[in-house]
Amino acid sequence: MSFKEYLRVATLAPDKEDEIEYLSVRSRVACNALVNSQRNIPGTGCNYEADVTAFWEEYIKLKEECGYPLPFNTLMMKVLVEGLKEAPRLNAHFDYKHTSSSGRLIIKKHIDVSMPVCFENGETFTVKLKQLENKSLREISEQIELTKAKLENTNFKKVLFNVAGQRMFGYAVKGKLISTFAQFLAAYTGKGKIAKFSKLFKKKSYRHEGYKKNGVGSLKVDDFTEGTVCFTNWGTLYEDLKVDITYIPPLYPQVFMFGTGRVKEVKDVYRKENGELDFRMKKVLPLMMVFDHKIGGAADLMPFIKKMDEIFENPGIIREW
């Protein structure tokens, strides 16, 4: 084995036949957020299998009668908002300093939900839906539809590049100069670079130009920054999904992640009035909840779970939303 071959094996370098895919600006932003989450958040998770038999029936009726688009995903986002009203400590950012073991929990006034949007090419973007705490189910539906329309008019590469720049500036302000310089250098040099130095000082390349089509604008940098909580629904990706979400780290500096699977039918054993056991089919929705254990403990989650119980046991409440 030649020294060059020895070095390639020792450094786990790719073979000539291997396909190499460098991180795009979207992937860099996502990787940065996820690595920060795993590094900074000691997460505690739990799964909740909700009996949504009556809830689903009420949803189907409301969907046919309401007169506006009402995907199940939108309804579950409203469920999340109602739960957070009862558990405000979950709608927060945690600012923690490892060196001094000091920090602060910033309980947010507004509920801004970060929602992953998956495109046909497989790429995923996390978009922020703002100030949902006092919005009706119809208003949330309209905001989601408007966001979808704006997505079609958005230059993602340009906006996400500005998002990455904003985060780099934040690192610099906090004194993380080495990390800032390394990210800046990686963005403009090497085979995986995502920008050219020639465009660095051109004002137009550093600002997302407003664009409108059919009276609808485009999404801006603030629409892609961290919300106060993240909501994800794997059930929308695959009709025959047979797996449940067990763990996804909250997006730093958020302290709570809420995920749903797909509604499924399962056999349920119950006791009839005469005491005999019998079988029936019921609809179950698997829910996943992960929270940052630094904020306290399970007691912070209990008001949220109790609100879930109340909603699923009394589904008629969704008509008041």
Side-chain angles (χ1 to χ4, degrees):
M1 180 184 290
S2 65
F3 178 73
K4 184 178 180 180
E5 180 67 13
Y6 179 85
L7 187 63
R8 186 193 64 78
V9 174
T11 58
L12 303 179
D15 295 327
K16 289 182 179 180
E17 297 82 6
D18 294 341
E19 180 181 346
I20 299 175
E21 185 179 292
Y22 292 101
L23 292 180
S24 64
V25 60
R26 183 208 67 81
S27 298
R28 291 191 184 205
V29 171
C31 288
N32 181 273
L34 291 171
V35 169
N36 271 332
S37 296
Q38 294 285 19
R39 182 181 297 163
N40 295 298
I41 299 176
T44 299
C46 64
N47 294 324
Y48 174 8
E49 283 205 343
D51 183 348
V52 295
T53 307
F55 183 80
W56 181 263
E57 291 178 359
E58 196 66 44
Y59 159 65
I60 294 299
K61 293 177 184 176
L62 180 60
K63 183 180 179 181
E64 294 174 350
E65 300 169 5
C66 66
Y68 57 88
L70 185 57
F72 190 66
N73 199 54
T74 301
L75 178 60
M76 289 308 300
M77 185 173 296
K78 177 63 174 173
V79 170
L80 166 62
V81 171
E82 294 300 311
L84 290 174
K85 290 180 184 179
E86 301 297 319
R89 285 171 61 84
L90 298 180
N91 187 60
H93 285 176
F94 203 109
D95 182 16
Y96 181 72
K97 297 176 177 60
H98 294 275
T99 306
S100 62
S101 295
S102 62
R104 57 179 181 171
L105 181 68
I106 306 168
I107 301 173
K108 294 293 187 175
K109 176 181 179 181
H110 298 299
I111 298 177
D112 298 337
V113 179
S114 297
M115 177 184 69
V117 178
C118 187
F119 291 86
E120 293 182 357
N121 63 1
E123 285 196 310
T124 303
F125 297 91
T126 301
V127 180
K128 182 169 65 178
L129 301 171
K130 306 171 193 173
Q131 300 184 19
L132 302 186
E133 63 277 2
N134 295 319
K135 291 186 177 176
S136 66
L137 188 56
R138 184 182 193 120
E139 289 171 334
I140 293 177
S141 175
E142 290 172 349
Q143 186 169 346
I144 291 175
E145 291 301 311
L146 179 60
T147 300
K148 288 180 180 178
K150 287 184 175 182
L151 280 169
E152 298 179 3
N153 298 339
T154 300
N155 184 328
F156 292 104
K157 186 174 181 179
K158 189 175 290 186
V159 175
L160 291 176
F161 189 81
N162 288 346
V163 171
Q166 186 184 67
R167 288 180 177 172
M168 285 171 55
F169 180 74
Y171 289 146
V173 170
K174 291 183 178 181
K176 300 179 180 180
L177 300 180
I178 295 178
S179 175
T180 303
F181 179 74
Q183 290 186 45
F184 176 83
L185 198 64
Y188 287 95
T189 62
K191 294 182 179 179
K193 65 182 180 181
I194 56 177
K196 296 180 179 180
F197 272 116
S198 60
K199 294 184 178 181
L200 177 60
F201 301 105
K202 290 183 179 180
K203 193 173 182 181
K204 287 186 178 180
S205 70
Y206 220 75
R207 185 182 72 247
H208 179 59
E209 298 295 332
Y211 174 77
K212 285 192 175 184
K213 183 179 180 181
N214 298 325
V216 177
S218 57
L219 297 177
K220 303 296 188 296
V221 171
D222 187 52
D223 296 307
F224 292 93
T225 54
E226 289 78 2
T228 61
V229 66
C230 189
F231 166 66
T232 185
N233 185 352
W234 286 16
T236 61
L237 301 177
Y238 179 41
E239 287 186 2
D240 298 319
L241 185 70
K242 294 180 175 63
V243 300
D244 299 337
I245 310 175
T246 56
Y247 179 83
I248 299 177
L251 295 179
Y252 180 82
Q254 297 171 11
V255 301
F256 186 57
M257 164 69 77
F258 183 69
T260 71
R262 194 165 187 88
V263 175
K264 54 188 178 182
E265 288 194 341
V266 299
K267 277 188 176 180
D268 179 41
V269 180
Y270 74 102
R271 191 178 296 277
K272 297 192 292 187
E273 291 183 0
N274 60 9
E276 295 180 359
L277 295 178
D278 201 354
F279 291 94
R280 63 184 172 190
M281 299 302 293
K282 70 176 182 181
K283 293 186 182 295
V284 170
L285 175 63
L287 302 175
M288 179 273 309
M289 292 167 277
V290 178
F291 66 99
D292 187 339
H293 210 287
K294 295 197 302 295
I295 68 174
D300 294 302
L301 189 63
M302 291 306 112
F304 186 89
I305 293 177
K306 289 178 181 178
K307 188 62 179 181
M308 297 296 102
D309 290 341
E310 177 187 332
I311 292 171
F312 295 130
E313 290 170 7
N314 304 281
I317 194 173
I318 67 176
R319 293 183 174 275
E320 301 174 8
W321 294 346

